[in-house]
Amino acid sequence: MYKTGIVSLVLIGGIVCCLSFMQRKDGTDLRAVYSQPVDKWPAPHVDSGIQWKELAGLPGVDPDFLELMEDPLIHLGKLLFFDPLLSGSSQISCSSCHDPEMGWAEKRSISLGHDHLTGKRNAPSLLNVFYRQTLFWDGRTGSLSEQALEPLTSHVEMNMDLKKLPKKLGKIQAYKHLFKEAYGSDKITVDRITTALSAFQQTIKSKQSAFDKFLAGDKKAMTDEALEGLHLFRTTARCMNCHHGPYFSDEQFHNIGLTYYKRELEDLGRYNVTKRADDVGKFKTPSLRDVMYTGPWMHNGVFDKMDGLLMIYNSGMQMINPTPAEKLADSLYPVTSPILQPLRLTQKEVRALVAFMEAISANPYVMDRPILPR
């Protein structure tokens, strides 16, 4: 009798919990609402002037993917991406900081490079990098070919002398053959190396998540809790101000209060590129695709728990609002974006947002490391 009563209470509790997500206090059935076409969804809560795009799904696996990977240029780029010979020490490859088993990022807050030196920033994921309008946290380059030069030559990363790289690879007969297949001649140049790397990285794309399957018609693909998170994401949590469109990023730069101005961890972000005072502390909005596999998060990797990160946003982040006198005395004094505001979400609502983050994170990308030419 006692055990039966306990089981009954557990079952009842589970049903109540489920119903609390299926139907909100105002009577809204979120599954019914979000099972409608996207253009029938409730309007998102975004600030005036925000040029937002509605969330959208991604297609399924490209049936021609395996054939695409056999393209000589892409195949060459893949080998170069995983080859530590591209570093001065011959110990560090692009995949050292962008590991396919770690969401094409890494689990360190800050990457270890040449001689175990570190910079200031977390390695961003390369998932869907083909769509990014600018690259790096500060947006300092606009193409993957240009981007590749920076880690290759950085003393704290791969520390490679580009003048020596073609000759270094040219000592391996198999690479000469691969370059000839890709370009029509076996000449190895830095430009050809970065072009091949770019071609490969453009193939790194997210798989379909539960959210994508839900949008494609599988209305059971998302849990009730994740649907609650979707609704909060678009409304009360104000996430759509910066994270929207199919890749959940506005491709813009914002100061969210993590500048650490005049402190040990100081990083002025976009200002280092533009030298505009208004850009102090601004960093590029990351994509949230597969976000649960790409932590730790933020430009300096300071958050390793999603619920903790969301609670910081819930508090309004670190609001830095200098007085007019302080700003006049120091034009570089950072100002947190007014988009950030205290949200007053409950713990239950934060958990629902985490469930939605899980729903937009597809199964981890699997790619075997290739056998390298030697």
Side-chain angles (χ1 to χ4, degrees), residues 286-352:
S287 168
L288 296 184
R289 282 287 176 181
D290 297 303
V291 65
M292 297 305 288
Y293 302 116
T294 60
W297 301 282
M298 300 301 182
H299 71 274
N300 50 8
V302 295
F303 295 104
D304 61 359
K305 302 292 184 184
M306 180 56 70
D307 53 352
L309 170 56
L310 292 174
M311 287 303 293
I312 294 295
Y313 272 108
N314 195 27
S315 71
M317 294 296 284
Q318 179 187 355
M319 303 306 294
I320 304 174
N321 296 306
T323 65
E326 287 175 322
K327 191 65 177 174
L328 183 63
D330 183 358
S331 63
L332 298 186
Y333 203 112
V335 179
T336 303
S337 170
I339 291 174
L340 293 168
Q341 299 177 12
L343 303 174
R344 299 180 179 84
L345 301 174
T346 66
Q347 289 186 343
K348 177 181 173 184
E349 288 172 327
V350 170
R351 289 197 299 270

Side-chain angles (χ1 to χ4, degrees), residues 208-220:
Q208 269 197 329
S209 66
F211 173 71
D212 299 309
K213 294 173 183 177
F214 180 84
L215 290 186
D218 181 359
K219 300 308 178 184
K220 295 182 179 180

Side-chain angles (χ1 to χ4, degrees), residues 121 138-141 268-276 279:
R121 296 179 183 169
D138 53 21
R140 62 184 181 270
T141 64
L268 302 187
R270 182 69 172 161
Y271 169 80
N272 294 328
V273 177
T274 67
K275 301 304 178 184
R276 295 176 62 245
D279 284 334

Side-chain angles (χ1 to χ4, degrees), residues 63-79:
D64 299 322
F65 178 76
L66 294 179
E67 182 179 342
L68 179 68
M69 297 304 293
E70 294 177 357
D71 178 276
L73 182 62
I74 293 173
H75 178 61
L76 172 61
K78 178 180 178 179
L79 294 172

